[in-house]
Amino acid sequence: MPTELPNERSIRPPGSMELDPSGEGVALDETRRLIASNKVEGTAVYDRAGEHLGTIYNFMVDKVSGQVAYAVLSFGGFLGIGESYHPVPWRALHYDVTLGGYVIDVDADALAGAPSHGPDEDPFADPDFGGKVDAHWGSRRPATA
């Protein structure tokens, strides 16, 4: 994954909602501050020591606020077998341009003990699952580089 972000081309005045009349650049998938969801999925996640923990499998967006609530980390396993999925509050992740991935202030053992689910499970169907995730990660603050 590249660590240098492309220059953002200004397509409209700041704060404007007008569309790009040329039609070029409207479907940007990455700017200096924004990135498309398909480029986030698969991004590496590291602990504070720079050890690879897993990857971002997907993320959960609050339907009402539009904010990303959780990044679901794919952790463990080999070639997709035995992987577990760990929802982590988005605020617990920090993007590190040097690593080209996200950093979280936990190690592999702590992540293994966090709320998780298997590949064919829908844990958020349980109305209490989000509360368990929040309770587990509640005291965590974003890792800073």
Side-chain angles (χ1 to χ4, degrees):
M1 167 157 259
T3 57
E4 289 191 25
L5 301 177
N7 289 330
E8 182 175 6
R9 182 173 67 88
S10 178
I11 59 174
R12 58 188 147 271
S16 169
M17 293 301 289
E18 97 184 52
L19 297 176
D20 179 4
S22 70
E24 296 176 14
V26 172
L28 293 175
D29 58 2
E30 189 169 325
T31 69
R32 290 187 134 349
R33 298 280 308 186
L34 301 174
I35 190 166
S37 61
N38 64 324
K39 291 189 80 174
V40 174
E41 294 169 359
T43 301
V45 177
Y46 302 92
D47 65 15
R48 287 188 54 95
E51 297 294 319
H52 185 263
L53 292 174
T55 60
I56 298 201
Y57 178 73
N58 66 11
F59 49 88
M60 307 296 288
V61 178
D62 182 284
K63 289 180 182 180
V64 176
S65 73
Q67 300 297 309
V68 174
Y70 304 101
V72 179
L73 306 186
S74 172
F75 174 71
F78 181 71
L79 298 175
I81 299 171
E83 281 181 321
S84 57
Y85 300 92
H86 299 261
V88 173
W90 189 252
R91 71 181 185 283
L93 297 168
H94 166 77
Y95 189 78
D96 185 311
V97 295
T98 305
L99 292 171
Y102 292 93
V103 175
I104 187 168
D105 195 15
V106 298
D107 60 20
D109 292 335
L111 185 58
S116 66
H117 60 89
D120 295 324
E121 298 172 2
D122 181 10
F124 288 97
D126 172 2
D128 296 330
F129 187 74
K132 292 174 188 173
V133 172
D134 291 340
H136 179 82
W137 294 103
S139 63
R140 304 253 181 221
R141 294 289 171 246
T144 55

